[in-house]
Amino acid sequence: MPFLDHLEELRWRILYSLLAVVVGTLVGWVIVEHVDVIGLLIEPIKPLIPGGKLRVTSPTDPFFITLKFAFVMGLVLASPVVGYQAWAFLTPALYERERRLIIPALSAGALLFLAGASAAYLWVLPRALGVLLSFQHNVFDPLITADKYFAFAAQLIIAFGVITELPLVVVILAILGLVTPQFLARNRRYAIAISAVAAALLAPPDAVSMLLMMVPLWLLFEVSIWCAWVVEKRRVRRQRAGGGAASAAAVGLLLLRSPRLFGRHSGRRAPTRRAWARTPCRVGRSTRRPPGASVFPPALRAASPPPMP
């Protein structure tokens, strides 16, 4: 396709994706209004605040909070359509091996993200809130606003969903041959330092959330080393099987072309007199011929016709 046709197709793909997001947001608004989604998300902090309710500091806060939740629901509902549009645009540029690799990778990535987000909501978020609100609880009366709490919870949940993608990323890099388990194990100390930096950037700005994210990230790195080892072991097994088959084929080909087993002219044509004439002669002490000697071997001289009178 010409370049302008690619741009035209990309424009329509983006428009279809935006339309799906808009429709999903409208459906998400209805879901948020009729299903207690906000009440479900404040369950981790409800036992820790007076009255079990969050505060708002502006009359527009309930509307904008509902709109944000509807938009998030719209993204979730429209994700299959957006994924299909992206896939339909990129598929013609991919090889068959890349297509077979991308589809399982996307499915595994979605499952890993959901697993990480669920673990953060059910286990990490309640414990992080309990530890943070336990400091000087006899002195301070917590006044938690809705926007501050949802920003904290969303950052923590999304960050845990992202870091659980680490084993999948390492497996893809190992399949492509870019990393090995030996390389990962040798650079473990650098990985721990990078985990600390990533936890500081992704987690909310407090030491408790950072530690709660750094430890699972380090454990996921160890799991990634094991996954890379499994990928390398399977690659070595396939290479050995392929090498054995190639060796057997080479031996069979040599046997079929051997003149001692299947005759003198088995697959090769005997050299002609013209070919021998084109072959350069080595000049050396062992190959120097006396003057007047023929340049052809004895077998070819015997087969040549007698000279014309």
Side-chain angles (χ1 to χ4, degrees), residues 2-286:
F3 179 72
L4 294 180
D5 292 343
H6 280 293
L7 291 181
E8 182 69 17
E9 183 185 2
L10 179 62
R11 184 173 71 91
W12 283 107
R13 300 291 182 187
I14 293 176
L15 289 177
Y16 290 149
S17 301
L18 292 177
L19 181 61
V21 171
V22 171
V23 174
T25 302
L26 296 177
V27 177
W29 183 281
V30 176
I31 294 176
V32 172
E33 285 291 331
H34 292 82
V35 180
D36 194 13
V37 178
I38 298 178
L40 181 65
L41 291 177
I42 66 174
E43 284 294 330
I45 200 174
K46 185 180 291 187
L48 305 174
I49 55 178
K53 291 185 178 181
L54 298 173
R55 310 293 180 178
V56 292
T57 58
S58 174
T60 59
D61 282 348
F63 170 76
F64 283 110
I65 290 174
T66 305
L67 182 61
K68 291 177 182 178
F69 275 98
F71 179 70
V72 172
M73 292 292 297
L75 289 178
V76 174
L77 295 176
S79 58
V81 179
V82 176
Y84 169 76
Q85 297 298 330
W87 176 256
F89 181 75
L90 296 176
T91 297
L94 300 177
Y95 294 104
E96 186 65 27
R97 179 176 178 271
E98 295 173 343
R99 296 177 188 177
R100 293 196 303 266
L101 180 63
I102 288 177
I103 294 178
L106 291 177
S107 303
L111 293 177
L112 288 174
F113 184 87
L114 292 176
S118 301
Y121 172 76
L122 296 174
W123 184 77
V124 179
L125 184 59
R127 285 161 177 78
L129 292 172
V131 173
L132 292 174
L133 295 178
S134 64
F135 293 103
Q136 301 294 332
H137 65 279
N138 295 325
V139 178
F140 300 109
D141 187 14
L143 181 63
I144 310 298
T145 60
D147 54 348
K148 295 292 184 181
Y149 168 72
F150 288 130
F152 175 84
Q155 185 176 359
L156 190 65
I157 291 174
I158 294 175
F160 267 86
V162 170
I163 67 172
T164 50
E165 305 285 342
L166 179 61
L168 177 62
V169 174
V170 172
V171 166
I172 294 176
L173 294 178
I175 291 175
L176 297 177
L178 299 178
V179 296
T180 60
Q182 294 79 12
F183 172 80
L184 296 175
R186 187 170 59 251
N187 296 276
R188 182 180 281 109
R189 53 183 179 179
Y190 301 108
I192 295 175
I194 295 175
S195 300
V197 175
L201 294 176
L202 296 176
D206 59 90
V208 176
S209 301
M210 177 181 172
L211 290 176
L212 289 176
M213 182 172 292
M214 180 181 172
V215 174
L217 190 56
W218 174 65
L219 295 177
L220 287 172
F221 178 77
E222 299 296 332
V223 174
S224 302
I225 295 177
W226 179 80
C227 294
W229 176 78
V230 172
V231 171
E232 185 178 12
K233 187 176 180 180
R234 291 185 177 180
R235 182 190 295 117
V236 171
R237 189 182 305 168
R238 287 195 300 266
Q239 289 177 353
R240 289 178 179 176
S247 301
V251 171
L253 183 60
L254 290 176
L255 291 177
L256 288 175
R257 298 178 69 89
S258 176
R260 294 186 177 181
L261 293 180
F262 299 97
R264 185 175 180 181
H265 304 288
S266 58
R268 289 187 180 181
R269 193 169 58 183
T272 61
R273 185 169 183 174
R274 184 176 299 175
W276 279 105
R278 288 198 305 263
T279 305
C281 298
R282 296 181 181 178
V283 178
R285 182 175 300 176
S286 60

